[in-house]
Amino acid sequence: MTAFFERPGPRWFNIPAHRPFADDLARGLYEALSPFGPEALSDALVLTPTRRGARAVADAFVRAADGRAVLPPQMRPLGDLEAGEPPFEPGDLALDLPAAIDPLRRRFELTRLVAENWSLLPGRELTASSALELADALGGFLDSLQIEEVEAGEKLAGLVEADLAEHWRVSRDFLETALVAWPKRLEALGVVDVSERRVRLLRRLAEVWTAKPPQGVLVAAGSTGTAPATADLLAVIAAAPRGAVVVPGLDDSLAEAAWREVDEQHPQGALRRLLARSRIDRGEVEVWPASLAHRAQGRWRRRVVNEALRPPRATADWLHAIERLRAEAESDGIDPVAEGLAGLSLASARSEEEAATVAALLLREALETPDKTAALVTPDQVLARRVVAKLGRWGIVPDSSAGESLAGCPCGVLAGLAARALVDPLAPVTLLALLKHPYVRLGFEPAELARQRNVLERFALRGPRPWSWSMVGARLRAKGHAGLPLVERLESVLAAPPDAGGVADLARAVTAVMEALAADAHGRTGELWSGHGGEAMSRLLAGLIHETHGLPEVSARGFADLLSRLMQGETVRTGGATHPRLRILGAIEARLVRADRLVVAGLEEGVWPRGAPLDPFLSRPMRQTLGLPPPERRVGLAAHDFAQAACAPEVILLHAERREGQPAVKSRWLWRLETLARGAGVEIAGHAEALAWARSLDAPDVYEPVSRPAPCPPLEARPRELFVTRVETLTRDPYAVWARDILGLRLMDRPDEPVEARARGTAIHAAFERLALDHPGDLPPNAAAIFEALYVEELEKAGMPREALARESALAREAAAWVAELEARRRADGRAIHVEKTGKLPIRVDGHEVVLGAKADRIEADPQGYGHILDYKTGRAPSQKVVDAGFSPQLTLTAAILAHGGFADIGRLTPGELVYLEVTGRKPAGREEVRASVDESAEAAERALDGARRLLARYFQPDQAYVSRTAPQFVKTYASDYDHLARVFEWSTSGEEGEA
């Protein structure tokens, strides 16, 4: 094992994709160096792509030593350099290098640069959010130049040809200005970009090690050398006296013709570029010694995956490739495709939520086996966080690299709510979210805060939203809760900032609001700024306060959007105890880390691989001219990481059929794998049991749809007084009468309840009533204007949103003209107008006395002794057919009560016309819908009264139940407040809708 360090360099090795990279690397080094004493191993230096990869290799050395005490090599990350950490800054290596600029400050500085040069980008509106968006794109462009070590200055001048769009000329001019201004700004600050500093360090390290090569063991492992500086450093390491480079998953079985076809999107693209830059032939790369003894294990999986991902132009030879594979395995008596797909399975979830549940269950199942390890590999951080949350139901905390978005941390949530509250402090949903946040105290003890919050929610914030603090107070006073201290405290804390101001001013305002909200009775802010989330939030707000001078002014709403965007881009790494056998990994980390069971998730186009990012500054040919890598390079790197993960012994490939409610397309690599398997006549195993677990996890053991509810209360509990609208409900939906009139259940309004329809109906009734009361006789000449003003005033009182009032005002003008003409015509004979009158009529039903009640919108008593009954509607009135069938007996029963003298203030009148007045303000602005004429109404009234007696008689039978929805044809037309309680959807879809 030691010979490979002693032979002449360069030394390039490969750990095949089907082998556990970290374990083989550690075992190889341990077996090679441990015979020479513990110092030989501890003096070695291992460079890994990331910090987490270094930790994985350190753990692998413990396993390689079989639990014995071991001093592992020094391990350093190539992709996450820190100042003052050997070997990157030994001696005077970085003595004259400026410090790296803080990433957050860099974003703000670039945003300021964009704002200062906005005149170069005509036709675009300048906002802080749009400036930040362009700054991020500019930062990506600068990073690409620095990583690829491209000097773009002179190339930019000839970048745009005459036939290109003006947009690209504007972009070129802006980039030329930025490339001059940005280095000057960095020099003034005494810092450099992180990418530039890293490239300089790697270059200097390569120079030092070339001039004076390290004499100890030096191994670079797991890197694909995508950056030129990294690739050149790997070549130096490979040529060192005892140096070696170990690459992950080089495909040594790919035919030479196919190898020449490898492009940017291919999994081997990065390794091909690395070897070409280092002038190493693929045949010179040896298999890592520790992987030789186990090379046959998993060999066919690696071959099948590599064949599936071969270059597109080489896929035409798939059938011949399958034949060659089978010829190779003929002596072993196996089908290499079936052998390669053994241990690999596919699960297709319906949605992201189900995919997260399936992943959590598969990981949880693996932990049932002692010592078995499991890992989720996905580039989708949202999915990773969902899986972490799902695992929490079993008390399992995985070692996750996904972290948590700052916007999802308690402190970040409070900041976002505070910013939105400054935009609209009386938005009920935002206000309630603030009051229920665990950090909020507002100077109260928790119990007192909860009491006052409940009062405020119940009596002021539910229903139509209040538009002022005085309206909140009025609602509370109406319910006997005047002078609630919480309201005064909220009004003072959430005082609205100016409509527009500097980003720093608004950041200070949000900070002050957060601290005022979190302050307890003693002025302490508790956990507000503590923990990882609190520290990250305080850094972000401090940066907004101190680093954003020069940015354009923003509105409070614009600042809330800007803050949300910034928080979404910040990831908080949380510590704490994690499960030792469970990991959640990003795609790059999975190169080095291997588990007994690997769940590979997020396999949808646009997720893995991600789509090529949009570049607002450069087109594809322009990038090529500058010498920048094409967007497809990222696809090739992602394909390599997928191939590495798919070669694990037990792999479950997981994808979702829908994402964000839209159909999702399987990842191209999944399509290729399935196509190859079908061509070979082999089926990839499914995971039906995991899907069944997920779908039954929160479902009952046996699904038995609820039957239609039919409560049967005792006779003494049944109502003895019913208004005619309740009789109508009893006709259609007796269950609603049981819930409301017997149980006394009332629907609680939602916060910020949409009120357009209800406000319109309330306003129409009130406007008609006030017009009749204020002008009982002849109408004034300006009756239309009076009605319009009354209607709009009542809309405001009813809580109509301000933005809807403009539309309603136009409708009100049309409706008022129609109402004025209606009133003049109907009052012409001098009839008396009675509005909002209540009448009651006792009737006998099987020995029981029942009182029928009615509240009439309008009764007109004409000189001939007829009482015409009118009901106002802002929507469609019940049809003639529905009224004749007895399903809408409101007008006919009201007429019966009037005919029998039930309206004491009016007296006994012969029923006249029964009319619905449809008032919409549209074309036509109103309509009179007569449901019974003077000649028909008396008979219709008596018929309705007899029908009511018969209906009520049924419900005085002890065995008569209050069944849900006895008239299901009206389910869509007449929604009930109690449908959810009756579980109408469940029983109506189980075949019972025809039963009564």
Side-chain angles (χ1 to χ4, degrees):
M1 289 290 288
T2 58
F4 68 87
F5 278 124
E6 303 301 334
R7 67 175 179 76
R11 303 170 196 82
W12 290 81
F13 296 94
N14 171 44
I15 294 181
H18 65 278
R19 295 297 307 154
F21 189 96
D23 287 339
D24 278 8
L25 177 69
R27 185 181 302 108
L29 288 174
Y30 181 80
E31 292 176 356
L33 301 177
S34 58
F36 299 94
E39 294 83 2
L41 188 61
S42 62
D43 288 343
L45 177 63
V46 177
L47 306 179
T48 62
T50 63
R51 289 185 173 276
R52 197 161 188 191
R55 291 197 299 271
V57 174
D59 293 340
F61 273 102
V62 176
R63 293 190 292 273
D66 294 326
R68 294 187 296 272
V70 61
L71 290 174
Q74 302 174 58
M75 280 166 280
R76 298 288 182 265
L78 273 172
D80 190 14
L81 311 186
E82 289 288 340
E85 189 171 272
F88 305 105
E89 298 191 9
D92 57 355
L93 186 61
L95 196 60
D96 59 342
L97 279 183
I101 187 172
D102 178 77
L104 184 61
R105 182 169 189 183
R106 182 182 192 242
R107 293 185 77 183
F108 293 146
E109 291 287 347
L110 287 172
T111 304
R112 187 182 301 110
L113 188 151
V114 169
E116 290 171 351
N117 294 277
W118 197 262
S119 59
L120 298 174
L121 301 170
R124 301 185 184 183
E125 181 184 358
L126 176 61
T127 66
S129 186
S130 58
L132 177 66
E133 184 177 1
L134 275 178
D136 289 340
L138 177 60
F141 169 71
L142 295 171
D143 287 340
S144 295
L145 293 180
Q146 293 159 5
I147 292 171
E148 298 297 327
E149 301 175 70
V150 170
E151 291 293 336
E154 296 180 359
K155 296 179 181 179
L156 280 174
L159 197 60
V160 182
E161 299 175 358
D163 57 344
L164 288 182
E166 181 65 22
H167 164 77
W168 300 118
R169 300 181 188 277
V170 171
S171 295
R172 180 199 60 190
D173 294 343
F174 176 79
L175 291 178
E176 286 179 333
T177 302
L179 287 178
V180 173
W182 182 239
K184 291 181 178 178
R185 179 58 181 164
L186 290 177
E187 184 179 359
L189 294 173
V191 294
V192 293
D193 277 329
V194 174
S195 298
E196 181 181 354
R197 189 173 193 277
R198 182 177 298 154
V199 167
R200 289 193 198 178
L201 280 173
L202 291 175
R203 286 293 178 197
R204 290 191 179 189
L205 188 61
E207 292 171 4
V208 168
W209 281 352
T210 299
K212 189 177 180 180
Q215 298 304 305
V217 173
L218 177 64
V219 177
S223 176
T224 55
T226 52
T230 304
D232 293 346
L233 178 62
L234 294 180
V236 171
I237 292 171
R242 303 188 72 190
V245 174
V246 186
V247 296
L250 178 67
D251 186 5
D252 55 4
S253 62
L254 190 64
E256 191 61 34
W259 176 257
R260 289 193 296 270
E261 294 288 340
V262 167
D263 59 8
E264 295 284 0
Q265 297 191 57
H266 192 270
Q268 298 292 307
L271 292 174
R272 185 174 184 272
R273 286 193 308 275
L274 173 62
L275 296 181
R277 186 179 182 91
S278 303
R279 295 183 175 83
I280 297 295
D281 187 81
R282 182 173 51 143
E284 299 177 60
V285 182
E286 302 177 40
V287 176
W288 181 247
S291 302
L292 281 171
H294 309 280
R295 194 173 183 187
Q297 297 178 13
R299 169 193 175 198
W300 297 116
R301 168 74 62 76
R302 175 172 56 85
R303 293 290 302 278
V304 167
V305 171
N306 288 343
E307 285 294 340
L309 302 185
R310 63 164 47 203
R313 280 185 289 187
T315 56
D317 197 33
W318 256 350
L319 292 178
H320 292 94
I322 293 171
E323 291 176 3
R324 288 195 300 271
L325 283 175
R326 285 175 169 161
E328 286 183 42
E330 188 175 2
S331 59
D332 297 331
I334 60 171
D335 182 347
V337 179
E339 182 72 15
L341 295 176
L344 184 144
S345 56
L346 171 64
S348 297
R350 294 170 179 164
S351 63
E352 314 104 298
E353 185 68 18
E354 186 173 274
T357 304
V358 170
L361 285 165
L362 290 169
L363 297 172
R364 175 70 180 85
E365 183 199 22
L367 299 182
E368 291 296 302
T369 304
D371 300 327
K372 187 173 184 178
T373 59
L376 170 71
V377 178
T378 180
D380 186 353
Q381 289 198 348
V382 175
L383 177 64
R385 289 167 187 154
R386 279 182 169 174
V387 173
V388 171
K390 298 282 184 184
L391 289 168
R393 74 186 297 163
W394 300 296
I396 297 172
V397 180
D399 180 7
S400 175
S401 64
E404 183 180 10
S405 170
L406 178 56
C409 293
C411 190
V413 170
L414 184 61
L417 290 171
R420 290 201 295 275
L422 289 177
V423 176
D424 187 0
L426 282 163
V429 174
T430 302
L431 203 53
L432 286 173
L434 271 178
L435 291 172
K436 296 181 180 183
H437 192 283
Y439 288 174
V440 170
R441 291 292 180 270
L442 278 167
F444 295 99
E445 295 297 334
E448 179 60 18
L449 175 63
R451 186 191 69 79
Q452 295 197 40
R453 180 186 65 210
N454 293 339
V455 170
L456 179 63
E457 175 182 357
R458 183 175 179 185
F459 299 116
L461 298 182
R462 287 188 174 270
R465 64 163 297 163
W467 293 106
S468 65
W469 292 108
S470 60
M471 188 180 291
V472 172
R475 290 183 181 182
L476 292 173
R477 284 193 297 275
K479 298 296 183 179
H481 295 281
L484 197 67
L486 179 58
V487 175
E488 299 173 5
R489 194 76 53 86
L490 283 170
E491 185 176 2
S492 64
V493 168
L494 300 179
D499 291 337
V503 171
D505 294 333
L506 288 165
R508 288 189 186 94
V510 168
T511 305
V513 168
M514 291 174 66
E515 294 190 335
L517 289 168
D520 60 16
H522 305 286
R524 297 187 295 260
T525 56
E527 302 176 66
L528 179 61
W529 305 118
S530 64
H532 297 282
E535 292 173 4
M537 193 69 239
S538 64
R539 284 197 302 271
L540 176 57
L541 287 172
L544 287 168
I545 292 171
H546 299 295
E547 307 292 345
T548 55
H549 57 279
L551 292 189
E553 287 194 347
V554 293
S555 64
R557 188 178 301 278
F559 179 79
D561 294 340
L562 176 67
L563 183 62
S564 175
R565 182 185 181 91
L566 287 167
M567 290 193 298
Q568 290 291 349
E570 293 288 322
T571 299
V572 178
R573 306 294 179 185
T574 55
T578 58
H579 199 287
R581 295 189 284 128
L582 187 59
R583 288 189 174 100
I584 295 181
L585 306 169
I588 295 177
E589 296 163 324
R591 294 179 191 170
L592 274 65
V593 180
R594 187 58 59 87
D596 298 324
R597 167 177 286 183
L598 221 57
V599 179
V600 182
L603 292 173
E604 298 90 38
E605 284 293 310
V607 180
W608 202 0
R610 296 192 183 280
L614 297 177
D615 190 335
F617 296 119
L618 299 175
S619 65
R620 190 181 299 268
M622 292 164 72
R623 291 183 64 88
Q624 185 176 5
T625 301
L626 288 177
L628 295 177
E632 289 80 12
R633 178 170 295 185
R634 294 186 181 185
V635 176
L637 294 172
H640 177 269
D641 295 333
F642 168 77
Q644 286 286 105
C647 289
E650 182 186 0
V651 182
I652 298 107
L653 305 178
L654 178 61
H655 84 97
E657 296 171 354
R658 299 182 72 85
R659 290 186 66 88
E660 299 178 356
Q662 302 297 321
V665 178
K666 285 182 182 177
S667 171
R668 64 193 71 178
W669 306 316
L670 210 51
W671 279 112
R672 283 169 156 264
L673 202 56
E674 289 181 305
T675 303
L676 179 67
R678 281 195 299 270
V682 178
E683 184 177 354
I684 298 177
H687 241 294
E689 73 282 1
L691 295 170
W693 295 341
R695 291 163 189 171
S696 62
L697 184 62
D698 295 312
D701 294 337
V702 179
Y703 176 62
E704 296 179 357
V706 66
S707 59
R708 184 193 300 227
C712 193
L715 289 181
E716 59 271 18
R718 304 192 182 199
R720 297 301 198 274
E721 181 173 340
L722 285 173
F723 272 71
V724 293
T725 52
R726 304 307 296 158
V727 174
E728 185 173 325
T729 303
L730 188 63
T731 304
R732 293 195 183 104
D733 188 10
Y735 182 89
V737 174
W738 172 78
R740 180 182 174 187
D741 299 282
I742 296 176
L743 295 186
L745 301 177
R746 295 289 190 275
L747 182 68
M748 182 176 286
D749 289 335
R750 291 174 295 176
D752 206 359
E753 183 85 30
V755 296
E756 281 84 351
R758 184 167 62 179
R760 199 175 297 116
T762 302
I764 283 289
H765 281 74
F768 267 112
E769 180 182 4
R770 290 177 59 184
L771 182 66
L773 293 176
D774 295 346
H775 305 281
D778 294 336
L779 286 175
N782 61 338
I786 292 173
F787 185 87
E788 179 185 350
L790 291 173
Y791 182 38
V792 173
E793 180 184 343
E794 293 296 336
L795 285 174
E796 293 176 345
K797 287 183 182 178
M800 173 70 73
R802 294 169 182 171
E803 59 270 16
L805 279 175
R807 178 197 65 203
E808 291 297 329
S809 296
L811 297 177
R813 189 173 303 110
E814 297 296 325
W818 180 83
V819 168
E821 186 276 329
L822 170 83
E823 289 282 358
R825 176 166 43 82
R826 295 196 70 90
R827 295 185 186 195
D829 59 0
R831 62 186 60 185
I833 308 297
H834 304 277
V835 294
E836 302 297 330
K837 295 296 183 182
T838 300
K840 293 187 177 182
L841 176 65
I843 60 174
R844 300 292 295 178
V845 179
D846 286 352
H848 302 278
E849 183 175 289
V850 180
V851 177
L852 286 180
K855 187 172 184 179
D857 290 347
R858 176 168 173 153
I859 297 176
E860 299 175 350
D862 69 14
Q864 288 76 38
Y866 287 102
H868 307 281
I869 301 173
L870 286 73
D871 190 73
Y872 310 131
K873 296 290 184 187
T874 53
R876 294 290 296 174
S879 68
Q880 186 71 56
K881 182 178 179 181
V882 169
V883 172
D884 292 342
F887 284 116
S888 289
Q890 180 182 356
L891 288 183
T892 51
L893 284 178
T894 303
I897 296 172
L898 178 64
H900 288 271
F903 287 90
D905 295 344
I906 302 174
R908 188 187 298 267
L909 293 176
T910 302
E913 287 184 328
L914 307 183
V915 183
Y916 287 110
L917 295 182
E918 292 183 0
V919 187
T920 62
R922 296 178 177 85
K923 293 185 178 180
R927 184 186 290 114
E928 291 179 79
E929 295 285 347
V930 179
R931 294 295 176 254
S933 65
V934 172
D935 298 331
E936 302 167 334
S937 57
E939 181 183 349
E942 290 304 316
R943 189 166 58 247
L945 187 59
D946 289 341
R949 284 193 178 98
R950 290 193 301 272
L951 176 67
L952 293 171
R954 287 175 54 195
Y955 285 91
F956 280 110
Q957 300 299 317
D959 58 347
Q960 176 60 46
Y962 286 74
V963 181
S964 175
R965 289 292 185 182
T966 54
Q969 64 267 38
F970 297 109
V971 168
K972 293 183 178 179
T973 308
Y974 298 95
S976 169
D977 290 339
Y978 303 95
D979 283 350
H980 64 294
L981 190 64
R983 296 163 74 173
V984 169
F985 178 80
E986 185 173 341
W987 62 256
S988 64
T989 55
S990 61
E992 295 191 19
E993 54 270 69
E995 301 178 13

